Amino acid sequence: MMHSNQRTRTFIAVPIQPPRGLKKLMPRLEKLAPAVKPVDVEQMHITLKFLGPTEMEDIMPVSRILKEMRSRFKRIKLAFKGLGAFPREDHPNVIWAGISDASALLEMVEYLEEETEKLGYPRERKGFHPHLTLARVKAKPSEDLFDILRDRKNAEWGEVSVDTIKFFQSELKTPQARYHEMQTVKLPLR
C-alpha cells in the first residue's frame, strides 16, 4: 500500500483557445458573478481522460502514451455549437459549449482509454460527453443566465485548431483548482 502523499490527481486534456463567439459570450457570464464563476480563458480545456489519484510510478508510462499519440494523431479542427448546462438546464451546476463534430476527439479518447486501462485505470463508465466548460454555478443564478441558455442554445461559436495534448496534475487545495503541466505533446500538421 503506498502512502497517500505518493499519489496525485491527474488528467489528460486538450487546451482550448475559445473561438471568437465564445470570447464574446464570456463577459455576459462574468456579469452574473458571484453566483456564476466563469472559467479563466487561459485554463480552458477539454478533458480526454480523467485518471484521478495517480501513483508516482505511473507518471512516466502515461507520459509515454502521450508521446506515442504524436505518431497516431494529427491536428484537428473543432467547431463549437450550442450552449447547455449539467445536470439540467433548469438546475445548472456547469455551463458548457457543445462541439458539432467530436469524432476526432472520440478517437483520441478511445486510444487513451485502451492504453491507460493497461496501466490499471478503469474505463470511464459514463462515456465521453465532449464539451467545453465555460462556467460553474455556485449559487442560485439570476434569470439572465436562463435567458442566455435559451437564446444561445443552438448558437454557432466558431472553430479552433487543436494541436496540443497535455498531462495535468490538479491541486485542489486552493479555492481555485490549479493545474500543473507534467507533459505537453504537439500534434503534427500532416
Side-chain angles (χ1 to χ4, degrees):
M1 185 64 190
M2 286 188 80
H3 300 298
S4 56
N5 63 355
Q6 295 296 113
R7 296 166 82 187
T8 176
R9 282 166 51 99
T10 69
F11 63 96
I12 297 163
V14 290
I16 297 290
Q17 268 298 317
R20 221 179 83 230
L22 283 177
K23 280 204 180 104
K24 282 163 71 175
L25 174 73
M26 294 311 284
R28 289 190 66 189
L29 295 176
E30 277 152 22
K31 286 199 185 93
L32 306 177
V36 175
K37 183 143 186 42
V39 172
D40 178 359
V41 172
E42 298 302 305
Q43 299 240 342
M44 283 191 178
H45 62 270
I46 297 172
T47 300
L48 300 179
K49 176 65 182 169
F50 179 73
L51 294 166
T54 305
E55 304 293 348
M56 284 307 178
E57 72 228 32
D58 287 343
I59 303 288
M60 286 310 290
V62 173
S63 293
R64 277 199 293 275
I65 292 170
L66 257 73
K67 286 188 184 131
E68 183 62 33
M69 290 179 81
R70 279 193 298 232
S71 58
R72 287 171 178 267
F73 298 99
K74 57 180 194 302
R75 273 172 211 201
I76 58 176
K77 279 222 185 308
L78 290 180
F80 289 91
K81 180 182 174 19
L83 193 64
F86 293 143
R88 298 197 317 270
E89 311 267 314
D90 59 350
H91 186 83
N93 288 339
V94 169
I95 309 301
W96 50 263
I99 297 160
S100 43
D101 175 13
S103 51
L105 278 183
L106 284 162
E107 282 173 39
M108 290 182 188
V109 167
E110 189 44 44
Y111 175 74
L112 285 168
E113 288 284 4
E114 267 168 41
E115 294 301 309
T116 56
E117 194 175 28
K118 293 175 191 167
L119 298 176
Y121 292 89
R123 281 175 170 266
E124 183 56 61
R125 286 192 315 277
K126 294 194 296 276
F128 179 63
H129 295 284
H131 66 276
L132 181 65
T133 298
L134 303 176
R136 290 186 167 73
V137 182
K138 301 289 185 190
K140 191 172 162 38
S142 68
E143 226 13 78
D144 291 350
L145 178 62
F146 299 101
D147 292 342
I148 295 170
L149 284 170
R150 259 193 311 275
D151 296 346
R152 316 300 279 157
K153 196 176 179 62
N154 298 306
E156 308 258 354
W157 302 114
E159 117 178 326
V160 295
S161 173
V162 172
D163 65 355
T164 309
I165 301 175
K166 295 192 177 200
F167 181 24
F168 286 105
Q169 174 189 9
S170 71
E171 259 192 84
L172 298 176
K173 293 185 194 71
T174 50
Q176 182 75 316
R178 292 233 308 281
Y179 306 128
H180 300 282
E181 291 169 28
M182 296 198 290
Q183 169 86 32
T184 298
V185 162
K186 283 275 190 212
L187 297 172
L189 254 170
R190 57 145 209 286

